[in-house]
Amino acid sequence: MEEIKTQLPENAFRELKDGEEYEPLMSPRGQYPEVNTWSVTWGVLMAMLFSAAAAYLGLKVGQVFEAAIPIAIIAVGLSTAANRSKALGENIIIQSIGACSGAVVAGAIFTLPAIYILQAKYGAEMSASFVQVFMASALGGILGILFLIPFRKYFVKDMHGKYPFPEATATTQVLISGLQSTQKTTPNSPRAGEEAEAAGSSRILLLAGLIGGLYDFIVATFGWWNEVVTTRMVGFGETLAEKAKLVFKVNTGAAVLGLGYIIGLKYALFICLGSLAVWWLIVPGMSLLFHDTVLNIGGATVTQTVGEMSPEVIFRTYARSIGIGGIAMAGIIGIVKSWGIIKSAVSLAGRELKGGQTSETVQRTQRDLSFKFIAIASMSALLLTFIFFWLGVMQNIWFAIVSILLVTFIAFLFTTVAANAIAIVGSNPVSGMTLMTLILASVVLSAVGLKGTSGMVAALIMGGVVCTALSMAGAFITDLKIGYWLGATPRKQESWKFLGTLVSAATVGGVIMLLNETYGFATGQLAAPQANAMAAVIDPVMSGQGAPWVLYGIGAVIALIINFCGMPALAVALGMFIPLELNTPLVVGGLVNWYVTTRSKDKAVNNARGERGTLIASGFIAGGALMGVVSALMRFGGMNFISDEWMMNPLSELAALGAYVLLICYFIRATKK
């Protein structure tokens, strides 16, 4: 067994030169502990624990947290406490299995509780059993895994250095930080210098995690300052927002700042371009053109004129749908551009089915599940989904055929969109894609005769399958990129991801049933914001009132124009969909990245500062994610120390601006030490 390196090579985050190869920490030529009783047991326990916690908190307080980083931190802590040697491969598997929780939870709680919310209006006809919730989540997760695997090599290897992978970067740095405590060398060892440097990196990551985590914890738990700074904090800005519908916002969180640093200035500007186009052109433009008009588009029930709405309401009611249309068209563009990859994957699967060469001759760190297995498993999963739709949901074979064709098309279409989004911005626009799915499903099912409450249940369960598939695809590409950087065996990650999905689906199904029995989703005691939004959309569409196709079409045209201009359509469309306050800090982080990597005339100094900045940014993200879980748990336990009166005071935003400037100054100064 070869030694494991303790530092990522210098070409880990940049594009490779012609003929250059990336050498991960665990050598492709070596064999390391990965899948064993320790890693699988802890991975399953993490999947159960974080599925229950994420579902409970997401539905109770409306806060869905990403589980990958906290699980990586726990895995490192466990291996250190147990003094396990060569634990990196095991920790990757623990994180990979456990991270199924966040993906499955997002897919389930964004859609399926809407069934119970509508039950209050339509009675017992609107209902779902545990089996239906479990099957929708499990089948969706399995399809997401299978549909993504053929794209693994493209995203994680062929596009190396071209995508920032912010969450994967942060998680990778956390896993590397555990190496120093499990691998010891003598002072005169040839690797002593490398380990000393790695230990220094761990200290930087730990300190940044403590500062970023404490910073975000103070905001989320105690509200010493506001989380968002807006131009409304001054009188002129308030007037501008009300009269001209112009507003500027920035989230002052440490985690989002770190995210922007890792994304870099280029992609951050593209994302922010889409956001500013919506908030500074489309929103004010709609107010100008339709100021005195009550504008009902696609069956929306609106009582205010556009001029009476705030910029935020105009965004939610109209402009956000333009972003959804842009994301959908970006998905189609991505499919067209990836057609060569899809054809080669299908051809390889065909050769393997005929008994051609297997992946055994491929290097260990590039060895996937065989395409023969993927083809057979995909057909089996789709067949099982069809049977589930037919006998478990619709009791009509024609409706089931239409449904499975729709689910297959949308899930496969948007798989690359989800992976691209995670690779670029670290955030999966799964709610927007699911919203589009629900609308399409409702229109198509209504056209073939499945309407009313049975149609709503069918559409929401279909939405649950698609939402979980897309959520899983986005989360899984993060796992696979982590494995690529560190040298895990993709086949092992892929194989054991199925177990994590089944465990998470069963746990989430149980939590949803428990919460419905305890509180009832329609009582208002549970926030469930995404599910409420899905219920609000599907009800009028299934009742024949239509959808905002005009707005979707505008977004699609904008995406085509952006692509024609040579810009990444998905990055701009993401900016159009994600709220302004979450896009602007990405540019701030990108500017910090640009600043610290260009101040010196010595390229080596700039590179060293850039790498140190990546560690600090990863610490901010990890600390923010971990303390976000703690804060949410405290809020759920009734420990809420935030004063609403103080949050409404403009001085809270001024205090936030001061704290944010100090945080940025620390970030820049820390990169130069």
Side-chain angles (χ1 to χ4, degrees), residues 6-24:
T6 53
Q7 281 284 83
L8 287 172
E10 62 84 23
N11 60 1
F13 302 117
R14 64 165 174 82
E15 293 185 38
L16 301 177
K17 300 170 186 175
D18 290 340
E20 186 181 10
E21 289 290 328
Y22 174 75
E23 182 78 14

Side-chain angles (χ1 to χ4, degrees), residues 603-613 671:
K603 186 177 179 181
V605 171
N606 285 331
N607 288 339
R609 289 174 177 173
E611 290 173 8
R612 183 182 283 264
T671 61

Side-chain angles (χ1 to χ4, degrees), residues 286-295 304-308:
M286 289 191 71
S287 177
L288 190 66
L289 293 173
F290 306 104
H291 191 273
D292 298 319
T293 306
V294 178
L295 193 62
Q304 290 179 298
T305 65
V306 177
E308 292 172 334

Side-chain angles (χ1 to χ4, degrees), residues 8 111 128 196 213 221 253 257 291 309 326 376 448 456 466 482 609 620:
L8 287 172
T111 51
T221 308
L257 177 66
H291 191 273
M309 295 179 177
I376 295 172
V448 298
M456 292 181 196
V466 171
I482 293 166
R609 289 174 177 173
F620 279 4

